[in-house]
Amino acid sequence: MPTLERDGTHLYYEVHGSGPAILLTHGFSATSQMWAPQIEALSREHTLVLWDLCGHGRSGAPEQTLRYREAPVVADLEALLDQVGADRAVVGGLSLGGYLSLAFALDHPNRVAGLLIIDTGPGFKRDDKREEWNAMMLEHADAIATRGFDALLGNGDPRLGSHSATRGLELAARHMLVQHSPRVIEGLPRLDVPALVVVGAEDTSFRAAADYMAQELPRATKAVIEDAGHTVNLDQPEVFDRVVLDFLESHGL
C-alpha cells in the first residue's frame, strides 16, 4: 500500500496507468474508493492519481487540529504531484475535493493544466453566508462526535469506501470544511486554464454554484448530467467518464 509521509502523518494514494497526470480528490467522508468506476477509463491514456484526505480512509488521522486546515491539505496535493513525478496535472475533485482543487490552482497555477470541478461550491463572498455554512459544519462535527458513523451521509455505501474510526472525520468537519475567507470564490477569474464544471441534475444544492463557476472561470465548460445527484460519477459513471474524456481530448490534455 503506497503512502506518503507528511508532517508525521501517512497519506494513502494510488497510481493507475501512464501519461499526463490527473489528480482526483474525494468528497468529505468518502475515500479514494469513490473513483473506482473511473479508473479503467481515465487511466487508459493518463496517470490517474487517487488519494485519501487526512483523517479519511486509509490515511492517518492526527490529533493536531491545524493539520486539517486548508493550507496543509493544499500542500498535500503539491506533495502528491512531486511524489509521482508530475510537474503539472489536471486537478479536480468532488464537493470538498473540488473546492480544495480550486484552492490548489490559486496557490500553484504553474502545476495545473486543467480543472475538473464536480458537484462543488466555491465558497461565499458574504460573511454572513460563510458564517451560516460554518455553523452547519460545526453542528455536523458535533453529531459525528456523539453519533459516530450514523451521522454521516452515505454511511454504509460501499462505493464511498470505509473508515477505521470517526475521529479524523470529526476533526475534518471542524477544520477542513470550515471556511475563513472568500479567496477561492473571488479568485475564480484568475484560473485561466481549461475547466470542466460537472453537476448532477438532481443535485439541487449545487446547481446554482455550478452555474456561477461556469460564468466566472475564464475557460469553463459546464455539463449537467441527468438522473444523477451529488455523487454524479457514481450515479452515472459511463456518462460521467465520457464527458470527462471528451473534455480532456478537446483541450489536448
Side-chain angles (χ1 to χ4, degrees):
M1 167 170 101
T3 59
L4 172 64
E5 293 298 321
R6 291 273 302 148
D7 303 324
T9 298
H10 68 273
L11 299 176
Y12 172 83
Y13 72 96
E14 303 176 1
V15 180
H16 303 271
S18 61
I22 301 173
L23 172 59
L24 293 181
T25 303
H26 59 80
F28 173 73
S29 77
T31 73
S32 55
Q33 176 65 28
M34 70 164 292
W35 303 114
Q38 280 66 61
I39 291 175
E40 181 179 356
L42 298 189
S43 67
R44 286 193 198 114
E45 298 181 4
H46 293 81
T47 299
L48 178 63
V49 183
L50 311 174
W51 69 299
D52 290 348
L53 284 163
C54 178
H56 292 69
R58 285 173 276 189
S59 288
E63 285 292 325
Q64 301 96 323
T65 58
L66 290 178
R67 186 62 183 82
Y68 296 83
R69 295 288 291 270
E70 181 181 302
V73 178
V74 167
D76 291 339
L77 290 167
E78 183 180 31
L80 282 164
L81 291 184
D82 292 341
Q83 178 78 358
V84 302
D87 291 333
R88 300 178 78 221
V90 173
V91 179
L94 184 140
S95 200
L96 172 62
Y99 179 86
L100 292 170
S101 299
L102 292 170
F104 176 80
L106 287 170
D107 288 348
H108 305 282
N110 61 315
R111 306 297 299 267
V112 178
L115 288 164
L116 299 175
I117 306 302
I118 307 152
D119 291 296
T120 293
F124 307 90
K125 285 187 175 180
R126 288 172 46 181
D127 293 343
D128 60 332
K129 291 296 184 182
R130 191 180 317 108
E131 290 169 3
E132 182 180 322
W133 166 266
N134 289 345
M136 289 191 299
M137 296 306 101
L138 293 175
E139 287 181 6
H140 189 37
D142 290 341
I144 295 171
T146 57
R147 295 168 47 210
F149 288 113
D150 289 339
L152 299 176
L153 295 175
N155 180 37
D157 186 341
R159 301 178 305 170
L160 300 177
S162 62
H163 314 274
S164 59
T166 57
R167 176 59 173 164
L169 301 176
E170 177 200 341
L171 292 172
R174 292 194 191 282
H175 304 283
M176 203 180 290
L177 291 179
V178 168
Q179 299 178 14
H180 299 278
S181 79
R183 80 176 194 99
V184 169
I185 191 169
E186 291 180 348
L188 295 177
R190 302 203 308 270
L191 299 178
D192 192 15
V193 294
L196 175 64
V197 179
V198 184
V199 66
E202 298 173 8
D203 191 6
T204 55
S205 297
F206 287 83
R207 287 287 300 271
D211 292 342
Y212 181 84
M213 288 187 290
Q215 293 175 353
E216 293 296 309
L217 290 165
R219 299 168 64 186
T221 301
K222 186 181 73 173
V224 179
I225 296 181
E226 298 297 324
D227 299 318
H230 191 56
T231 50
V232 61
N233 68 302
L234 295 172
D235 296 339
Q236 294 291 342
E238 293 182 3
V239 177
F240 175 84
D241 290 352
R242 176 43 51 198
V243 167
V244 172
L245 290 172
D246 286 349
F247 166 77
L248 295 172
E249 182 178 0
S250 66
H251 292 282
L253 300 171

